[in-house]
Amino acid sequence: MNRTLDIIFHNTTRFFALSVLVVLGALFFVLFNEAKPAIDAFGLEFLTNSKWAPNMEIFGGYPAIYGSIVSTIIAMAIATPIAIGIAIFLSELAPPWLAYIVGMAIELLAAIPSIIYGMWGLFYLAPLLRDIWGGNGLGLATAGIVLSIMILPFMAAITRDAMKTTPAILKESAYGMGATRWEVLKDVVIPYVKSGIIGSIILALGRAIGETMAVTFVMGNAHKIPDSIFKPATSIPVTLANEFTEADTDLYYSSLFYLALILLVISFTVIAIAKFWFLRNLQEQKV
Amino acid sequence: MTLQERRILLNKVIMILSTTAALLGIIFLFWIIAVLFYKGFTALNLNIFVHDMAPPGREPSGLRNALVGQLILVLGASAIGVPIGVLAGTYLSEYGGKKSRLARLIRDISDIMMSTPSIVIGAFIYAILVAPMGHFRGWAGIAALVVMMIPIVLRTTDDMLQLVPGSLREAAIALGAPKYKMIIQVVYRGAKTGMLTGILLSIARIAGETAPLLFTSFSNNFYSTDLNNPIASLTVTMYNYATSPYEDWIDQGWAAALILALFVLGANIIGRIIIRKRKGEH
């Protein structure tokens, strides 16, 4: 009796553990399968063709891919220095009580649903930028700024955690030799946690590139390569969110799945690099 | 300027820069929170909870159907996703262990799945559950949320179970307990608070998701609890209302945002309190 139950329990747990692998396999298979007609029709040229004309049955993914990459680069360029600044402030400068409160607030902010960042971007940031830059205030720059604020808490929290893993004795030795705070940071802390910081930046990048709700309101939704980052554009998640329910032909539908597949491959690669290249060492150091 | 003065000056400059960066980031984040609370509390009233969605300009209007729909979707996804995630995590910790290659592979894949763009998961569920049936349905929304939830619950369960000391397991086995009983009565009990916190946080995490629901459970302007048909959710309603040109809809969108944020923040704060209490006991 106990033996049978043991076997049942063991196999049930194994079945559900394996289901994770099955779901990932199915995810790739289904997206590829749905994208097949578009892959057959456009091949790899889809990646470089910038014409998206549903009425003519011509679909090119370049504007969406371009928008995803450029908005993510803008977001990373803004968020990375600020997040590192916050991490330095929290781990080295702030008195413990302040570091505790600010650290806690930042961790809570990381949990705020991304759609709220998007609404703020639409109703507060876009009008402000419209006054500064002209145009309608929507575009890659606006999306990049909203994204940077969205990933900031996450990035700052894990960068701070990485910095905290530096053994105190290393820092104390450096201070003991008369090093300034900046020298300790530059020559002791940062070299020690370098791979952790790079890993967390890439992980944040993975989040930013696949983010839908924070950017869909402020991208402007124009299927072309904009002349400037202040003009309306689109990105892969934004195209999916806006057009998925409108796809009225098979090729249109399939092209959207082609975009989804590209996004999946990009984010899978980015996250795998962050995990295996940079964060693996960090995890092993901790154990 | 001597070398020493230069070093001290450089140090000061860098420290001021990083404090400024921290201030700048914090100002923006607080701006967002202030907007959320101000707009949300201004729009929040009793009607939101007792009336259903109405066309723009018509009174009384509320969000009751979206609140109920959201609750059904999140509870439904939790009812399916939590047991699956816990059992799968149990396998990794209790049968796989640290060295097993399969367990390591599943851990890595789960980590990647956690960061998979949620809109891609929505498209995936659309292809397998919505397109073949021909219309949006609540079940498809639940399925999308379950796919997002399993890896999160799996990883926290795995981590929490591994914190239970091996000596407790050995003691149970030495008393003649079969392994499943050892796991359920000893290991689960030892890891109870940690697992509860993890589950709470994973529920909070999926509650804020919009993208996977856009083309699975879709939206519904009427009160409905039928999971075979489109069902309203707070998040998709926020999306629809915020992109609408109607003042009253936009205000209600902020009310929905506030309700959602309070739920998510509340769950996170409770989770933290539970963890802190446990730390205090030991």
Side-chain angles (χ1 to χ4, degrees):
Chain A
M1 178 59 192
N2 272 335
R3 235 188 111 69
T4 337
L5 280 174
D6 237 0
I7 293 170
I8 294 174
F9 190 75
H10 184 171
N11 284 307
T12 320
T13 58
R14 184 161 64 183
F15 173 79
F16 287 126
L18 290 172
S19 73
V20 175
L21 301 183
V22 175
V23 169
L24 184 77
L27 188 59
F28 273 100
F29 176 77
V30 168
L31 291 190
F32 182 78
N33 206 30
E34 300 288 323
K36 193 103 193 347
I39 295 174
D40 289 342
F42 306 117
L44 285 176
E45 237 174 76
F46 186 79
L47 303 178
T48 51
N49 181 8
S50 59
K51 193 171 166 84
W52 181 272
N55 50 346
M56 290 191 282
E57 294 272 282
I58 298 172
F59 298 98
Y62 188 54
I65 298 169
Y66 175 88
S68 284
I69 292 173
V70 173
S71 61
T72 306
I73 291 174
I74 297 171
M76 300 313 293
I78 300 171
T80 308
I82 299 183
I84 293 178
I86 294 179
I88 293 176
F89 178 75
L90 290 180
S91 64
E92 310 290 331
L93 287 177
W97 62 270
L98 186 64
Y100 178 77
I101 295 173
V102 176
M104 181 82 134
I106 281 179
E107 281 172 34
L108 286 176
L109 281 163
I112 296 267
S114 58
I115 188 171
I116 293 173
Y117 288 94
M119 285 173 74
W120 168 81
L122 176 64
F123 294 114
Y124 289 86
L125 186 66
L128 183 74
L129 296 181
R130 185 167 53 213
D131 295 341
I132 300 174
W133 291 327
N136 60 4
L138 306 177
L140 293 173
T142 319
I145 295 173
V146 176
L147 270 183
S148 72
I149 296 169
M150 186 202 85
I151 55 173
L152 191 58
F154 171 74
M155 223 165 141
I158 45 180
T159 307
R160 178 203 57 184
D161 291 346
M163 283 186 172
K164 273 190 181 164
T165 60
T166 318
I169 194 157
L170 282 184
K171 291 201 281 187
E172 283 158 13
S173 319
Y175 282 125
M177 287 167 66
T180 62
R181 271 182 173 159
W182 165 239
E183 284 159 351
V184 171
L185 265 173
K186 173 173 64 102
D187 298 326
V188 178
V189 178
I190 290 178
Y192 190 84
V193 298
K194 198 170 56 195
S195 73
I197 294 179
I198 299 175
S200 62
I201 291 171
I202 300 180
L203 216 54
L205 191 154
R207 280 205 175 180
I209 206 160
E211 177 54 41
T212 311
M213 303 322 292
V215 294
T216 185
F217 297 130
V218 293
M219 202 53 113
N221 209 25
H223 259 293
K224 55 176 189 206
I225 308 291
D227 335 323
S228 89
I229 55 170
F230 307 118
K231 298 260 174 72
T234 190
S235 75
I236 299 178
V238 171
T239 305
L240 291 175
N242 284 321
E243 299 183 30
F244 210 87
T245 48
E246 289 170 11
D248 41 10
T249 65
D250 287 345
L251 199 58
Y252 195 173
Y253 174 79
S254 177
S255 300
L256 290 173
F257 271 101
Y258 199 172
L259 282 178
L261 182 66
I262 293 168
L263 180 61
L264 178 63
V265 171
I266 295 176
S267 84
F268 192 93
T269 317
V270 166
I271 296 156
I273 290 174
K275 284 276 169 207
F276 304 136
W277 217 300
F278 297 104
L279 294 177
R280 167 109 325 151
N281 300 333
L282 193 73
Q283 279 162 4
E284 274 161 16
Q285 277 167 16
K286 263 191 210 160
V287 170
Chain B
M1 199 189 286
T2 64
L3 178 62
Q4 177 155 14
E5 279 167 356
R6 216 164 55 216
R7 283 174 55 209
I8 291 172
L9 184 71
L10 180 67
N11 182 54
K12 276 208 178 115
V13 169
I14 300 278
M15 292 306 138
I16 289 170
L17 278 180
S18 81
T19 311
T20 319
L23 268 176
L24 188 74
I26 290 161
I27 286 171
F28 267 90
L29 290 167
F30 275 91
W31 182 12
I32 293 174
I33 294 300
V35 162
L36 172 68
F37 277 74
Y38 173 71
K39 295 293 284 184
F41 275 115
T42 316
L44 204 62
N45 55 44
L46 197 61
N47 280 348
I48 300 273
F49 298 96
V50 295
H51 292 288
D52 288 339
M53 284 149 63
R58 181 156 338 145
E59 289 292 330
S61 70
L63 296 164
R64 183 182 66 131
N65 55 332
L67 283 163
V68 171
Q70 179 85 14
L71 215 58
I72 292 174
L73 289 174
V74 170
L75 290 181
S78 310
I80 301 169
V82 168
I84 296 180
V86 167
L87 286 171
T90 306
Y91 177 78
L92 297 190
S93 160
E94 302 303 311
Y95 295 99
K98 269 210 155 55
K99 294 207 180 74
S100 151
R101 276 176 111 174
L102 177 68
R104 285 184 77 152
L105 177 71
I106 294 175
R107 269 179 209 126
D108 290 339
I109 295 293
S110 303
D111 283 346
I112 294 179
M113 291 278 286
M114 266 194 255
S115 305
T116 300
S118 52
I119 192 139
V120 169
I121 290 172
F124 165 64
I125 298 293
Y126 179 89
I128 58 172
L129 287 181
V130 178
M133 317 273 185
H135 67 94
F136 300 108
R137 51 181 59 224
W139 282 117
I142 290 186
L145 294 181
V146 166
V147 169
M148 301 203 60
M149 195 170 190
I150 290 174
I152 310 175
V153 179
L154 178 152
R155 288 297 276 131
T156 40
T157 305
D158 180 25
D159 287 345
M160 292 304 151
L161 295 189
Q162 286 191 19
L163 292 179
V164 177
S167 54
L168 283 182
R169 293 188 182 84
E170 286 157 15
I173 296 287
L175 286 172
K179 193 161 182 176
Y180 80 93
K181 237 179 206 165
M182 177 272 276
I183 292 171
I184 294 172
Q185 297 188 349
V186 177
V187 181
Y188 281 172
R189 200 168 282 183
K192 199 172 57 190
T193 34
M195 282 165 72
L196 268 178
T197 313
I199 291 167
L200 195 64
L201 293 183
S202 70
I203 294 174
R205 172 92 185 269
I206 60 156
E209 285 294 342
T210 316
L213 300 180
L214 281 176
F215 22 86
T216 52
S217 58
F218 202 58
S219 189
N220 193 334
N221 291 336
F222 303 101
Y223 183 85
S224 164
T225 54
D226 178 10
L227 286 171
N228 286 315
N229 278 307
I231 191 164
S233 59
L234 269 185
T235 47
V236 177
T237 305
M238 280 160 67
Y239 176 69
N240 292 337
Y241 276 21
T243 45
S244 80
Y246 313 111
E247 218 38 64
D248 53 339
W249 272 18
I250 293 171
D251 285 345
Q252 288 191 349
W254 282 109
L258 180 67
I259 296 170
L260 189 69
L262 288 179
F263 172 77
V264 172
L265 291 178
N268 273 276
I269 291 170
I270 292 171
R272 252 153 244 274
I273 293 174
I274 297 175
I275 289 184
R276 176 107 60 84
K277 253 198 185 149
R278 194 184 54 160
K279 268 189 193 151
E281 279 167 16
H282 283 282

